[in-house]
Amino acid sequence: MKQVILTGDRPTGRLHVGHYVGSLKERVRLQNSGLYNEIYIMIADAQALTDNAEHPEKVRQNIMQVALDYLSCGLDPEKSTLFIQSMVPELTELTFYYMNLVTVSRVQRNPTVKAEIQMRNFEASIPVGFFCYPISQAADITAFRATAVPVGEDQIPMLEQCKEIVHKFNTVYGETLTDPQIILPQNQSCLRLPGIDGKAKMSKSLGNCIYLSDTEEDVRKKVMSMFTDPNHLRIEDPGRVEGNPVFIYLDAFSRPEYFAEFLPEYSGLDELKAHYTRGGLGDVKVKKFLNRCLQAELAPIRERRAYWEQRPEEVFEILKAGCETAQNTAAATLGDVRRAMRIDYFEDSNLLK
Ligand code: ATP
Ligand code: MG
């Protein structure tokens, strides 16, 4: 079977290091593994509009920013199709048909939808489009016949819902859609990177992010201001590493070679954690090390961003070509869907049969 990847991000802001460890890094690894026949990376502008209907300019401005973040992280337009969701109207049509296969109460039970409704303080005024976004996400995934969807942990309920739609569609209309598998980051601490404020998730909407495009100085300031163990007041105090964002970030970003280079007095992360736990290790020292690790990870990304920022016309052309490729694939799937649903009236004089 053809191996296909579909994943994406909402253009509601520049991408941050949570996106990087949760999904982007994995995408680049999979892209370069050579195991996939097709890779589609979507800038989900239509989805972003479901809770930003009054801010179209924000969504528009962030299309380029997200595209620059993609290219900076090593997504390669020769290997991956980068495209914009709303430029593929077939996705909207698929969404409309899938809506009939999902109940309101099923969407209401989706834990990610519940959490996001609460986070956005929608209360009784939830836009219908926002409520339906898990269904539109199923359309995105199935339109490309994705077999693999590399995403962060918050997307598990979305993939479950998508698989249910695939199953229901295939049961009602005959085997048509491809069943996708979720690919989560291998490193536990990358499943859901917390914010620098210690909140459970680094998120554009919460303003607690280290952005991939932050300057060296921005990153340093953010790291030095990070939330740590509130009971670790003096250096001598024993500290907690569990749930401590600085140590979660070290789990996500430190590598043995960074210890050798920046903190050779420790053999590795286990020894650093043990010292912090028993007391005698200050937050400032740990944060300075984390800053060195992050700067080392971000340096090549920054360098590539500087390259692409000088070439906006090329980025524009990459997106335009990507939209065309994506539309061709989605149109073929939509054709299969219409045929399966018996609404392909003018194909082969079908209406006469
Ligand atoms: P918004 O606040 O607008 O929803 P977001 O920061 O949650 O933005 P999305 O565009 O919704 O970002 O998410 C894109 C991808 O990045 C998804 O696969 C998601 O699982 C992953 N992701 C987002 N935030 C994190 C995080 N803090 N840790 C790990 N993965 C993340
Ligand atoms: Mg989100």
Side-chain angles (χ1 to χ4, degrees), residues 26-285:
E26 195 72 358
R27 288 178 211 176
V28 174
R29 189 180 71 78
L30 297 173
Q31 168 193 270
N32 296 335
S33 73
L35 296 173
Y36 291 88
N37 305 88
E38 291 169 24
I39 301 172
Y40 297 93
I41 310 289
M42 180 180 81
I43 304 181
D45 64 330
Q47 191 188 113
L49 286 167
T50 64
D51 58 336
N52 283 284
E54 278 127 57
H55 309 288
E57 198 49 37
K58 169 174 143 189
V59 173
R60 186 186 173 88
Q61 293 303 326
N62 281 305
I63 301 257
M64 267 304 206
Q65 291 302 324
V66 172
L68 285 170
D69 284 327
Y70 284 169
L71 295 164
S72 318
C73 285
L75 286 174
D76 175 356
E78 299 285 326
K79 298 179 185 157
S80 299
T81 300
L82 311 183
F83 74 98
I84 305 167
Q85 187 181 25
S86 72
M87 293 288 104
V88 183
E90 285 77 2
L91 301 174
T92 320
E93 188 174 333
L94 280 177
T95 305
F96 196 66
Y97 302 141
Y98 293 174
M99 279 178 177
N100 304 327
L101 306 176
V102 183
T103 63
V104 171
S105 64
R106 174 63 184 89
V107 181
Q108 268 165 344
R109 278 202 310 275
N110 183 314
T112 303
V113 174
K114 268 195 204 162
E116 293 193 339
I117 284 174
Q118 215 169 33
M119 196 173 104
R120 287 166 174 77
N121 294 321
F122 279 146
E123 285 157 28
S125 53
I126 307 163
V128 175
F130 182 84
F131 186 73
C132 296
Y133 96 75
I135 305 171
S136 107
Q137 227 166 282
D140 305 332
I141 294 168
T142 53
F144 297 94
R145 301 201 168 283
T147 51
V149 185
V151 282
E153 181 191 47
D154 61 320
Q155 296 299 310
I156 294 173
M158 298 300 163
L159 259 289
E160 278 167 7
Q161 185 132 39
C162 175
K163 287 167 88 69
E164 280 173 34
I165 292 173
V166 168
H167 184 73
K168 179 94 194 220
F169 190 101
N170 289 347
T171 307
V172 176
Y173 302 114
E175 208 58 40
T176 311
L177 302 176
T178 308
D179 196 25
Q181 298 305 319
I182 190 166
I183 300 191
L184 294 168
Q186 289 154 350
N187 181 336
Q188 280 293 313
S189 53
C190 300
L191 287 172
R192 185 181 298 243
L193 197 76
I196 53 171
D197 57 356
K199 287 213 179 95
K201 184 174 176 283
M202 180 177 286
S203 169
K204 285 170 273 180
S205 315
L206 296 174
N208 57 7
C209 308
I210 295 178
Y211 292 99
L212 294 171
S213 48
D214 276 347
T215 63
E216 211 176 316
E217 186 51 18
D218 288 339
V219 173
R220 194 191 62 79
K221 277 195 198 137
K222 287 182 184 178
V223 171
M224 296 317 284
S225 74
M226 264 177 82
F227 181 89
T228 63
D229 173 4
N231 297 317
H232 186 246
L233 298 174
R234 284 161 308 188
I235 294 183
E236 318 80 76
D237 293 339
R240 265 181 76 86
V241 296
E242 297 81 20
N244 181 333
V246 174
F247 280 93
I248 298 174
Y249 283 27
L250 283 175
D251 277 327
F253 295 101
S254 75
R255 303 186 196 190
E257 58 264 36
Y258 294 156
F259 273 94
E261 199 179 339
F262 307 133
L263 206 60
E265 62 266 41
Y266 292 87
S267 62
L269 193 51
D270 288 343
E271 197 186 331
L272 191 74
K273 283 182 177 172
H275 192 184
Y276 191 83
T277 308
R278 73 173 179 268
L281 174 59
D283 283 326
V284 171
K285 184 163 178 173

